């Protein structure tokens, strides 16, 4: 089984990875550009638990959904 982080469906149109990186830095959240790019494209397979929490929290803000879970940003393949 393969599991990927995929936040592409939550990603705002017109927002570049670099702009997202800068926006997160301004909020005091450090997530690597490569991590953001992979999560946006749905190909992020390895990450620190803290990074998953940071991604979930950011996507919660994007989606205006405080109940969004980490499972909501994961996709699984058999």
């Amino acid at each position: 089984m393969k599991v990927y982080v995929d936040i592409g469906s939550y990603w705002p149109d017109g927002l570049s990875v670099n702009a997202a990186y800068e926006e997160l830095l301004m909020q005091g959240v450090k997530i690597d550009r490569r991590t953001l790019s992979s999560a946006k494209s749905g190909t992020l397979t390895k990450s620190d638990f803290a990074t998953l929490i940071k991604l979930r929290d950011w996507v919660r803000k994007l989606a205006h959904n405080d109940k969004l879970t980490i499972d909501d940003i994961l996709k699984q393949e058999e």
Side-chain angles (χ1 to χ4, degrees), residues 11-74:
W11 197 274
D13 289 337
L15 181 66
S16 70
V17 170
N18 194 50
Y21 173 79
E22 295 294 329
E23 176 184 319
L24 287 165
L25 276 182
M26 298 273 289
Q27 297 172 17
V29 178
K30 178 117 169 75
I31 301 175
D32 186 83
R33 287 178 179 90
R34 288 172 290 171
T35 300
L36 288 171
S37 180
S38 294
K40 177 184 177 186
S41 65
T43 60
L44 182 62
T45 57
K46 296 180 181 177
S47 185
D48 187 71
F49 291 122
T51 301
L52 289 176
I53 299 294
K54 291 174 187 177
L55 285 169
R56 182 213 53 201
D57 290 348
W58 185 55
V59 171
R60 280 180 173 177
K61 289 178 186 176
L62 294 175
H64 305 289
N65 179 358
D66 290 339
K67 296 185 180 187
L68 190 126
T69 67
I70 289 176
D71 285 348
D72 295 327
I73 63 172
L74 297 178

